[in-house]
Amino acid sequence: MAAPGAGMMEGGVPTAQPPGTDMTGICFRDQLWLNSYPLDRNLVFDYFALSPFYDWTSNNEQLRMRSLHPLDLSQLSKMTGTEYVLSEVMEPHLFIMRKQKRDSPDKVTPMLAYYILDGSIYQAPQLSNVFAARIGRALYYIQKAFTTAASKLEKIGYAGSVDSENDTTLPEPKAASKETVDIKELKRVDHILASLQHKLPPAPPPPPFPEGYVPPSTAETEKGPETQEATESQAPSVDPIIDQGPAKRMKF
């Protein structure tokens, strides 16, 4: 907060801020003046002239030196240069002072705006700065959300493949296959199938052989190849695979 009398050099000579100076971070308040005078539309300009926001080279200061009211539009419209006008008033809490450049009685260009809120004077930020601040804040939260989502997805992927990291790498597929196989995805599928297999109950014992079927003895298997071929050429009376059903066949 600026002290009373800010913007003044030694000897009481006023100092003007360089053009383009960002003063949005400055707040001016003179409590001694507020305790001595009422803050209304007639005296608000005198209070604003004490702040470092005031330009002592403005047309309003020339009117004050001529003992005229500094906000007299009939006099300001006859001049050219920098001037201050009171645009909005909500006594005694809010006053909005606009700084503008007058080129002719009908042509003015707004430059800056200041508002006096309950005795404290602030410089209103420009619209481009407001948009830049809001966009920067939105981008910060969007980046934070993507970072959080990426960390959670990374944890999920790590939990799914933690058991398969110690496995040996599978051999690369042959060049004959046109579709590429993702090794990590293949390991993950194997891990899921293995976990499901552990959750399932054990397989029931195989059923007994059907009636009339005699399994080959060990002596027959030890015979020569010619005897085995003759035995294989004779079809058994009952097909054990068909009688056992497709659900009882050996799985490879």
Side-chain angles (χ1 to χ4, degrees):
M1 179 180 296
M8 305 285 289
M9 291 196 312
E10 295 181 0
V13 181
T15 60
Q17 295 293 335
T21 303
D22 185 12
M23 303 180 68
T24 54
I26 298 177
C27 171
F28 176 83
R29 183 181 181 87
D30 192 339
Q31 191 62 41
L32 181 61
W33 191 96
L34 294 173
N35 294 336
S36 303
Y37 305 96
L39 190 61
D40 54 15
R41 65 178 64 231
N42 295 322
L43 298 178
V44 65
F45 190 84
D46 295 334
Y47 180 64
F48 178 77
L50 299 175
S51 68
F53 306 109
Y54 182 62
D55 186 0
W56 292 84
T57 62
S58 62
N59 297 335
N60 307 84
E61 185 63 22
Q62 297 182 21
L63 295 180
R64 294 178 69 187
M65 296 174 63
R66 291 159 53 185
S67 300
L68 298 175
H69 197 281
L71 296 178
D72 190 356
L73 290 178
S74 61
Q75 298 292 333
L76 292 174
S77 60
K78 301 177 183 179
M79 308 171 69
T80 58
T82 304
E83 64 183 20
Y84 295 93
V85 294
L86 192 63
S87 59
E88 298 289 340
V89 176
M90 293 179 61
E91 291 182 337
H93 302 290
L94 179 63
F95 302 87
I96 298 179
M97 196 79 63
R98 185 174 69 243
K99 183 179 182 179
Q100 60 188 13
K101 181 180 180 182
R102 181 176 295 275
D103 298 326
S104 65
D106 300 328
K107 183 180 179 181
V108 293
T109 303
M111 300 173 61
L112 293 172
Y114 306 90
Y115 59 96
I116 306 172
L117 181 61
D118 292 332
S120 300
I121 306 178
Y122 307 89
Q123 177 180 333
Q126 297 184 1
L127 191 59
S128 59
N129 297 337
V130 174
F131 282 145
R134 296 294 177 87
I135 293 174
R137 181 178 298 179
L139 290 176
Y140 167 76
Y141 286 111
I142 291 174
Q143 184 179 5
K144 186 177 181 180
F146 274 110
T147 303
T148 305
S151 62
K152 291 184 178 180
L153 291 176
E154 186 177 356
K155 291 180 181 179
I156 293 174
Y158 175 77
S161 60
V162 64
D163 295 336
S164 60
E165 287 182 353
N166 298 327
D167 298 344
T168 57
T169 57
L170 297 177
E172 297 182 358
K174 298 181 180 180
S177 59
K178 296 182 180 180
E179 298 181 357
T180 59
V181 179
D182 190 356
I183 303 300
K184 294 183 179 180
E185 194 68 23
L186 186 60
K187 287 184 178 181
R188 187 166 184 173
V189 172
D190 293 342
H191 174 70
I192 294 174
L193 294 177
S195 61
L196 291 176
Q197 185 178 4
H198 290 306
K199 294 180 181 179
L200 294 176
F209 291 102
E211 297 180 0
Y213 174 74
V214 180
S217 59
T218 309
E220 293 180 358
T221 56
E222 295 177 356
K223 294 180 181 180
E226 297 178 357
T227 309
Q228 291 182 5
E229 291 178 1
T231 307
E232 292 176 358
S233 61
Q234 298 178 1
S237 58
V238 181
D239 190 354
I241 298 180
I242 296 177
D243 291 347
Q244 292 181 18
K248 305 303 179 182
R249 296 179 184 176
M250 186 181 297
K251 298 181 180 180
F252 295 93

